[in-house]
Amino acid sequence: MSYEKILRHYLRKEVQEEIVEWCRGRWIAFHCETFDEKGRRIFIRYHPKTKKPLKLDSLEEFERVFRDLSYIKPRAIYATINQYRVIEKEDDVFSLDNVFSTLPTWDIDSKLSDWKATIEIARVICDVLLKYGVEKSVYFKWSGNGMHVHLHQFAISREITAKKHPLDIAFAIVEFIRLKIERELYEIKRKYEVKQLKVENKIDVRRVFTAPLSIHRELDVVAVCMKSDDLENFDISWIKLDGFRHNTTWREFKEGEADELALKAYET
């Protein structure tokens, strides 16, 4: 795929708006079209001139960053699961005191050809979350070969995260649910005869995940978001660069909806 086609995608206002909305307050990273001396795509997290952590808090900043990095051709966009009160210097993104929210995320590692198995285990996660009263605050993002299941960070009230660090809460929630679906995961792998299907807990301080409507670092596909109602009808054609299907209601949540789950998971 030509880089001109990648740029045309990122020049679309609706694409920029979705990316900025998701990335606001997060530390940003890019995989680029340009390769380093070891033959790897350049992965960049700091501005090459100012040395400050990259961020995308506005449409103007989006355009400025793409312009400043044009010489290495940014392709895939990522953002941290942590949101920060301020991002101005390196110390800011390594200070746990500066974190005010963390996005609980289940990382479904799979292969594009096994997409039906991926969707099925995502449904299982959704069903277990529903048992704990979490319904409106869950969304799903197809990201290249697999899927990320996100629990909106503000479904956990400030009352909870003021007492327990949001990073600890996120880790606990993801691990709590992950352990509960082990049997279903085994059955789905056997049903579809797949080997590369895992649900992982990758919650850590520096962790980044693909931004909605980002192009994949290698595959010519787009990261699209869904809500639970979309899972039943999902088709792999939804991720095509030309004519992708993306649900903008990923941003919807119910504050406090995950409080009971957060406390139970943390205690466990």
Side-chain angles (χ1 to χ4, degrees):
M1 182 168 62
S2 69
Y3 193 65
E4 287 72 21
K5 192 170 184 179
I6 293 172
L7 278 181
R8 282 200 301 272
H9 173 76
Y10 286 127
L11 285 172
R12 295 174 61 172
K13 186 177 180 182
E14 63 270 30
V15 170
Q16 294 183 5
E17 288 175 342
E18 288 294 279
I19 292 172
V20 167
E21 178 69 18
W22 198 80
C23 290
R24 189 173 286 115
R26 304 182 190 276
W27 182 16
I28 307 305
F30 293 92
H31 259 126
C32 302
E33 284 282 88
T34 304
F35 292 83
D36 62 20
E37 64 278 1
K38 295 183 179 180
R40 301 171 301 190
R41 290 185 185 276
I42 289 175
F43 185 72
I44 187 168
R45 301 185 73 153
Y46 298 91
H47 194 285
K49 291 184 178 179
T50 66
K51 308 304 179 185
K52 292 181 179 181
L54 291 167
K55 57 181 181 176
L56 293 175
D57 287 343
S58 67
L59 294 178
E60 293 75 20
E61 201 161 36
F62 186 101
E63 294 173 0
R64 183 167 60 252
V65 168
F66 260 77
R67 184 171 60 250
D68 291 349
L69 300 182
S70 61
Y71 69 102
I72 50 175
K73 300 178 179 178
R75 175 186 172 109
I77 304 174
Y78 309 88
T80 53
I81 53 174
N82 289 327
Q83 284 183 308
Y84 301 91
R85 293 181 176 86
V86 62
I87 302 176
E88 291 297 335
K89 57 186 185 301
E90 186 174 14
D91 288 348
D92 293 336
V93 292
F94 288 104
S95 169
L96 289 178
D97 291 336
N98 191 30
V99 174
F100 74 87
S101 79
T102 305
L103 179 67
T105 302
W106 294 264
D107 184 18
I108 304 177
D109 183 22
S110 184
K111 292 196 302 183
L112 190 58
S113 57
D114 296 328
W115 65 271
K116 290 183 179 179
T118 304
I119 290 293
E120 191 158 333
I121 192 61
R123 276 201 217 100
V124 170
I125 295 172
C126 182
D127 290 343
V128 176
L129 287 170
L130 187 59
K131 291 179 181 178
Y132 288 91
V134 180
E135 180 180 12
K136 296 181 180 180
S137 307
V138 183
Y139 61 100
F140 308 82
K141 185 175 76 248
W142 191 275
S143 179
N145 280 301
M147 176 176 276
H148 302 145
V149 181
H150 296 302
L151 170 59
H152 198 288
Q153 64 273 17
F154 296 134
I156 306 158
S157 69
R158 299 297 296 163
E159 183 181 354
I160 301 295
T161 56
K163 298 175 182 177
K164 298 170 174 53
H165 197 282
L167 189 66
D168 291 335
I169 290 288
F171 182 92
I173 289 174
V174 173
E175 191 67 7
F176 182 74
I177 300 297
R178 190 189 68 81
L179 293 173
K180 287 189 174 295
I181 64 166
E182 284 185 326
R183 181 169 181 80
E184 288 87 348
L185 177 62
Y186 171 79
E187 294 295 339
I188 290 170
K189 290 174 71 173
R190 188 171 67 170
K191 173 183 175 181
Y192 288 96
E193 299 181 341
V194 300
K195 293 182 179 180
Q196 188 177 320
L197 181 65
K198 297 185 289 185
V199 178
E200 298 181 293
N201 182 351
K202 292 187 175 180
I203 302 297
D204 64 49
V205 176
R206 290 172 58 107
R207 180 62 53 187
V208 294
F209 284 108
T210 311
L213 298 189
S214 167
I215 295 174
H216 189 264
R217 69 183 185 278
E218 295 175 346
L219 303 175
D220 296 338
V221 299
V222 178
V224 299
C225 289
M226 295 166 266
K227 295 291 277 186
S228 57
D229 292 343
D230 297 318
L231 294 178
E232 195 68 35
N233 301 313
F234 177 77
D235 184 83
I236 204 64
S237 63
W238 292 12
I239 67 174
K240 290 182 178 179
L241 184 60
D242 297 318
F244 59 83
R245 179 171 168 177
H246 170 72
N247 191 333
T248 61
T249 64
W250 61 265
R251 48 178 50 80
E252 294 180 355
F253 68 95
K254 182 178 179 182
E255 186 176 358
E257 186 178 49
D259 282 2
E260 181 183 346
L261 171 62
L263 292 173
K264 178 68 175 177
Y266 188 88
E267 290 168 4
T268 302

